[in-house]
C-alpha cells in the first residue's frame, strides 16, 4: 500500500531500489475468460454501453480495438464474444487477489485495478547475496525506465507500450495475433535499479479502462 511504501522510505537509507511496475494485459478480458472457461484462441471483448473497453489479442488480430463501437467490432470479427463489463465487482476481486499474491515480493502500491508497483529490493538483494539468480539472468537497469524508451521508439502507435507486442513487425501499426493465454498474462517493467517479473490474474483502471 502507499502507507507501506511511505514507511519504507522513512525508515530506509536512501539508496538505489528495485521497483517493478506490473501491468496486467487486457485485464477485464482475462478475468472473463477465466470465469467463463473460454479458450485462449477465442476472440473476446469486454463492453460497457456500446463500446469495447478492452479485447484480447485474437480479437485485435481481426482489427478490433479499444473504444470501438460493438457493431463495428462484430463486423470485423464475426466470432467475437462480447461480454458486458459494467459490473466491476469481479475485476475488483481479481485485483485484490493479485495484490495479495504480489505482497510476497515486497510492499505493493496499486494504481487502478491492473497496475502495481512492487518494491522488490529486499528480495533481489537476498537472491543476489545467496547466488540464487539463474545462470544467464540479465538484470536490466535504465535511467528513465523501459516504458519511456519503448514509447520514444514507437511514437505514433495506437497502443500503449505493453500492447505493442501485438503490432506486426512488417507493417507498422497493423495487428497480428499476439500469444494470449487462458492463464493470466502480464507485462512487467523495472524501474531504476533492477528487473523482476511476475504474473497473476489480471486487472485495469478503476473506472472503465479495462486493461491494455
Amino acid at each position: 500500500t502507499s502507507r507501506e511504501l511511505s514507511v519504507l522510505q522513512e525508515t530506509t537509507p536512501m539508496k538505489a531500489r528495485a521497483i517493478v511496475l506490473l501491468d496486467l494485459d487486457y485485464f477485464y478480458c482475462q478475468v472473463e475468460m477465466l470465469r467463463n472457461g473460454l479458450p485462449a484462441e477465442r476472440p473476446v471483448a469486454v463492453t460497457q454501453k456500446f463500446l469495447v473497453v478492452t479485447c484480447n489479442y485474437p480479437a485485435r488480430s481481426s482489427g478490433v480495438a479499444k473504444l470501438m463501437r460493438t457493431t463495428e467490432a462484430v463486423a470485423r470479427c464475426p466470432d467475437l464474444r462480447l461480454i458486458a463489463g459494467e459490473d466491476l465487482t469481479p475485476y475488483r476481486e481479481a485485483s485484490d487477489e493479485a495484490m495479495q499474491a504480489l505482497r510476497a515480493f515486497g510492499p505493493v502500491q496499486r494504481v487502478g485495478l491492473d497496475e502495481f508497483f512492487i518494491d522488490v529490493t529486499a528480495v533481489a538483494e537476498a537472491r543476489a547475496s545467496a547466488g540464487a539468480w539463474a545462470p544467464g539472468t540479465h538484470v536490466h537497469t535504465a535511467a528513465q525506465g523501459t516504458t519511456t524508451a519503448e514509447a520514444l521508439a514507437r511514437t505514433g502507435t495506437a497502443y500503449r507500450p505493453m500492447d505493442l507486442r501485438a503490432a506486426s513487425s512488417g507493417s507498422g501499426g497493423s495487428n497480428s495475433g499476439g500469444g494470449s493465454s487462458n492463464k493470466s498474462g502480464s507485462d512487467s517493467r523495472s524501474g531504476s535499479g533492477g528487473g523482476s517479473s511476475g504474473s497473476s490474474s489480471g486487472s485495469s483502471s478503476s473506472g472503465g479502462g479495462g486493461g491494455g
Side-chain angles (χ1 to χ4, degrees):
T1 65
S2 57
R3 176 169 176 74
E4 288 175 321
L5 289 176
S6 63
V7 170
L8 183 67
Q9 292 170 351
E10 293 172 2
T11 58
T12 306
M14 292 297 291
K15 64 177 181 178
R17 309 199 65 79
I19 308 295
V20 170
L21 170 57
L22 181 70
D23 183 280
L24 301 172
D25 265 352
Y26 56 97
F27 174 56
Y28 290 9
C29 260
Q30 286 199 75
V31 174
E32 295 298 350
M33 290 171 72
L34 291 171
R35 291 178 70 209
N36 292 279
L38 299 174
E41 64 274 9
R42 177 68 190 270
V44 177
V46 174
T47 65
Q48 290 177 354
K49 306 300 183 183
F50 55 87
L51 294 176
V52 170
V53 294
T54 188
C55 57
N56 61 4
Y57 289 108
R60 294 178 193 184
S61 68
S62 296
V64 179
K66 190 173 181 177
L67 301 183
M68 179 179 286
R69 287 180 175 270
T70 55
T71 51
E72 182 180 352
V74 172
R76 293 191 179 197
C77 183
D79 294 332
L80 184 65
R81 169 78 178 269
L82 297 177
I83 300 176
E86 280 85 0
D87 181 7
L88 301 182
T89 303
Y91 315 133
R92 291 184 178 127
E93 292 174 349
S95 180
D96 288 342
E97 291 179 11
M99 189 164 184
Q100 289 301 322
L102 292 171
R103 281 180 171 153
F105 301 97
V108 180
Q109 182 174 6
R110 178 164 51 190
V111 183
L113 293 180
D114 68 336
E115 294 187 3
F116 305 83
F117 287 99
I118 311 106
D119 187 334
V120 297
T121 306
V123 173
E125 288 178 342
R127 284 178 175 249
S129 62
W133 292 115
T137 297
H138 171 69
V139 178
H140 172 78
T141 60
Q144 294 180 304
T146 55
T147 301
T148 301
E150 289 177 352
L152 291 175
R154 297 174 175 85
T155 302
T157 58
Y159 292 107
R160 296 181 295 164
M162 66 287 289
D163 295 318
L164 293 172
R165 70 190 68 169
S168 169
S169 59
S171 56
S174 66
N175 296 335
S176 65
S180 72
S181 159
N182 220 14
K183 184 177 180 181
S184 293
S186 65
D187 171 71
S188 65
R189 302 184 294 281
S190 62
S192 63
S196 178
S197 64
S199 65
S200 88
S201 28
S203 109
S204 181
S205 73
S206 52

